[in-house]
Amino acid sequence: MPSTDQMAPKIVEKSGVYISTYGCQMNVNDSERMYTLLEMSNYVPVTSADQASLIIINSCSVREKPVHKVHSEVGRYRKLKEKNPSLKIGVAGCVAQQEKKKLLKDVPLVDFVIGTDSIDELPQIIAKIKSENKKSVDAKFKHQQPYQIETLIRNPGVSTFINITKGCDNFCTFCVVPFTRGRERSRPYKQIVEDVNKLISRGVKEVYFLGQNVNSYTSDCGVNFAQLLKGIALETDIERIRYTTSHPKDFNQELIDISQEYREKICEYIHLPVQSGSTSVLERMNRVYTREGYLKKVKMILDTIPGVALSTDIIVGFPGETDEDFEQTLTLLEEVPFETLYAYKYSPRPFTKAARYTDQVPEEIKSERLTRLFKIHKAIAAQLAKKYLGQTLRVLVEQSNGERSFGRSQHNKVVHFKTTNNLVGQTVDVKIHTAFPATLRGELVGAHE
Ligand code: SAH
Ligand code: SF4
Ligand code: F3S
């Protein structure tokens, strides 16, 4: 007869895990992957660090500010660690990949460092640091391995991220990403189709393809990015496809034509980072296009997809940027209808070529230029938003409380409207009566078939 001990149900107490996420959508998706993997190994996500026995900071190092934030966040956990010495603190993401074991030395509170290519080993890494009670660093790139992963999402919403490429081979002279995410790899085409189909069966209506440079996607069977979009539009029942980020050098007529042909599914929104309006700055940035080349691509897009919404990234104060160069960036804003602008002061990054350029621009000039740029763009954006007034937009509803709903139009505009029932996941027609640069308001005029 079994002893009472053997008969008693085994109660395994779950440990709390808290992940704080910085940086781009790639990191948001990686945090979701970490939560999913940890849930499978008996962790439960908690909403604040003081409830956790495991804290992971999923860091970003694209500019200096996010790096500082990681250091100060770890510092805030000192008291928690004093209260609970078994609390484990890890750093993941791009700072982890960049700093590797140096992080353990510089920030003694950190117990483990996990690089961007080691996420799938997270449960084993944690089991090891706990059983051996010693610190660990896993930050080697797995360049020899094919990029074959299944998208892991706990509760997919209406719209879900799917990584299609990882890494970057472009080596723009300002950018740390090729050093923190490694060489560029594309996932097999068939695996992406399977992912999309699985997510559709879980209620997903929109997939958001992610990569540092999505439009250089090339699958094992030779499918390019345009063909991937076409394949997903034709072979699956997904309602919408979004993607980010595209590099202007890989934006070609085939992609534009397919976007137009399948515009019912492929969103009419293109984020096309220009970085600068000056050809000589672009050359020193190693962007491999000129101002004229960029303008030509924009013309191709606008001529083929009327009504398309454009957005961009700009860096001000890149080393050697003169007043004239900066003026060229300002005039570009008048030539290209960018509805949204993400702009940053140049920040020297480790390992990058531009950090070693000797003609760095003083901080005050960078700040002045950024303020001027945003001011000019604000007026342009307000003007551009007016075109939506009176238009009826197809909105995929993301949130609804039975009274108010919001969703996104095919142009990636956030649209708010009143409702009398919960419409989450439905595509509806909304007639726009108020247009701000970032959001629109309108009236529900019907469901969309
Ligand atoms: N892969 C994307 C960009 C990824 S980083 C692309 O090529 O467009 C996101 C943005 O951060 C960049 O477009 C750039 O505008 C900005 N950025 C990158 N490195 C930077 C740096 N060192 N200083 C300031 N901004 C930077
Ligand atoms: Fe960085 Fe350039 Fe690669 Fe974008 S394309 S991730 S800016 S190196
Ligand atoms: Fe930051 Fe890394 Fe993304 S540097 S922007 S988290 S790729």
Side-chain angles (χ1 to χ4, degrees):
M1 199 176 151
S3 73
T4 41
D5 255 16
Q6 282 167 308
M7 282 168 69
K10 218 174 161 192
I11 297 171
V12 185
E13 211 176 303
K14 294 200 177 213
S15 311
V17 53
Y18 177 79
I19 306 180
S20 68
T21 309
Y22 296 86
C24 59
Q25 289 102 328
M26 221 83 70
N27 259 15
V28 173
N29 213 19
D30 285 348
S31 288
E32 179 58 32
R33 190 169 191 84
M34 290 194 265
Y35 270 131
T36 316
L37 291 165
L38 290 169
E39 264 194 352
M40 293 189 235
S41 15
N42 223 28
Y43 277 89
V44 57
V46 291
T47 49
S48 74
D50 54 6
Q51 301 168 311
S53 63
L54 170 64
I55 297 174
I56 301 173
I57 300 169
N58 195 8
S59 62
C60 169
S61 65
V62 78
R63 286 170 292 277
E64 209 166 354
K65 256 193 188 159
V67 179
H68 288 319
K69 282 188 187 158
V70 171
H71 285 262
S72 59
E73 180 166 349
V74 178
R76 286 204 303 277
Y77 299 142
R78 181 174 303 280
K79 286 225 164 69
L80 293 179
K81 188 106 172 162
E82 280 165 9
K83 259 203 307 204
N84 172 15
S86 67
L87 168 70
K88 300 290 179 208
I89 301 177
V91 180
C94 290
V95 175
Q97 188 64 50
Q98 175 189 303
E99 300 292 307
K100 302 185 179 63
K101 66 175 184 214
K102 196 169 164 284
L103 255 180
L104 293 185
K105 205 171 115 236
D106 294 351
V107 196
L109 284 179
V110 171
D111 296 290
F112 66 99
V113 175
I114 173 167
T116 50
D117 250 4
S118 303
I119 289 176
D120 284 3
E121 287 119 64
L122 179 64
Q124 293 87 307
I125 291 170
I126 289 167
K128 197 163 151 240
I129 60 165
K130 282 175 113 179
S131 66
E132 296 177 5
N133 200 24
K134 63 176 191 204
K135 301 195 174 207
S136 91
V137 177
D138 291 78
K140 285 210 177 82
F141 283 129
K142 302 189 172 62
H143 284 146
Q144 306 313 323
Q145 289 178 14
Y147 185 31
Q148 295 194 7
I149 56 155
E150 187 190 341
T151 297
L152 295 181
I153 291 186
R154 292 164 301 156
N155 303 304
V158 171
S159 177
T160 292
F161 292 136
I162 295 184
N163 284 35
I164 63 160
T165 66
K166 69 169 178 179
C168 182
D169 290 348
N170 290 325
F171 290 91
C172 301
T173 57
F174 53 81
C175 184
V176 76
V177 171
F179 304 95
T180 62
R181 295 274 168 174
R183 299 291 55 76
E184 192 175 287
R185 290 280 180 280
S186 297
R187 286 179 63 202
Y189 172 73
K190 281 214 169 88
Q191 203 183 49
I192 299 173
V193 177
E194 275 165 27
D195 252 8
V196 174
N197 280 328
K198 276 191 199 160
L199 289 164
I200 292 171
S201 69
R202 295 173 74 194
V204 169
K205 308 286 181 194
E206 173 185 280
V207 285
Y208 201 138
F209 289 154
L210 293 182
Q212 284 305 338
N213 186 6
V214 276
N215 50 347
S216 70
Y217 174 87
T218 316
S219 82
D220 47 347
C221 52
V223 171
N224 68 20
F225 183 60
Q227 292 151 358
L228 168 73
L229 294 184
K230 181 174 173 176
I232 300 294
L234 281 176
E235 289 174 40
T236 77
D237 289 328
I238 198 70
E239 288 182 21
R240 271 189 184 175
I241 309 165
R242 285 189 198 290
Y243 57 87
T244 200
T245 301
S246 331
H247 194 297
K249 79 174 165 58
D250 297 307
F251 221 97
N252 55 27
Q253 190 69 52
E254 183 191 16
L255 175 52
I256 299 169
D257 289 343
I258 285 179
S259 305
Q260 169 62 6
E261 193 175 344
Y262 297 93
R263 63 189 297 168
E264 282 293 308
K265 289 194 168 188
I266 301 170
C267 280
E268 297 159 53
Y269 164 68
I270 297 170
H271 180 60
L272 201 60
V274 66
Q275 313 298 357
S276 168
S278 151
T279 294
S280 74
V281 172
L282 289 170
E283 197 175 316
R284 282 158 53 88
M285 286 177 162
N286 190 33
R287 288 295 287 185
V288 299
Y289 53 83
T290 58
R291 175 192 176 97
E292 291 68 34
Y294 184 87
L295 288 172
K296 230 164 115 184
K297 299 252 164 137
V298 167
K299 185 171 182 320
M300 246 158 65
I301 295 171
L302 295 175
D303 285 350
T304 315
I305 317 174
V308 69
L310 298 174
S311 66
T312 202
D313 290 349
I314 286 176
I315 295 177
V316 298
F318 182 78
E321 185 189 64
T322 61
D323 286 343
E324 291 73 36
D325 290 323
F326 178 61
E327 290 300 325
Q328 297 256 299
T329 298
L330 295 181
T331 58
L332 192 89
L333 288 192
E334 277 149 29
E335 286 190 51
V336 184
F338 293 122
E339 295 185 26
T340 313
L341 166 68
Y342 303 91
Y344 315 94
K345 289 191 270 182
Y346 169 72
S347 164
R349 307 312 303 133
F351 319 119
T352 60
K353 206 169 165 188
R356 297 191 296 273
Y357 289 173
T358 51
D359 44 4
Q360 300 289 327
V361 172
E363 206 49 38
E364 320 80 77
I365 295 186
K366 288 185 202 172
S367 301
E368 263 171 38
R369 288 182 184 166
L370 191 66
T371 309
R372 239 182 109 197
L373 186 72
F374 276 132
K375 193 170 167 218
I376 289 176
H377 182 259
K378 200 174 163 198
I380 293 173
Q383 197 57 35
L384 287 172
K386 286 191 187 155
K387 73 173 177 190
Y388 294 107
L389 288 172
Q391 279 193 33
T392 298
L393 303 181
R394 232 160 14 105
V395 175
L396 174 58
V397 183
E398 290 180 20
Q399 275 189 32
S400 184
N401 65 6
E403 284 178 19
R404 286 167 197 281
S405 297
F406 88 81
R408 274 167 207 274
S409 74
Q410 60 270 43
H411 322 91
N412 202 31
K413 289 277 170 199
V414 173
V415 181
H416 292 268
F417 58 98
K418 285 191 184 150
T419 42
T420 47
N421 47 4
N422 189 331
L423 298 171
V424 171
Q426 290 190 37
T427 301
V428 295
D429 286 333
V430 179
K431 189 165 182 201
I432 304 305
H433 56 63
T434 313
F436 302 110
T439 55
L440 305 173
R441 287 181 194 283
E443 190 189 333
L444 181 67
V445 289
H448 207 277
E449 287 307 312

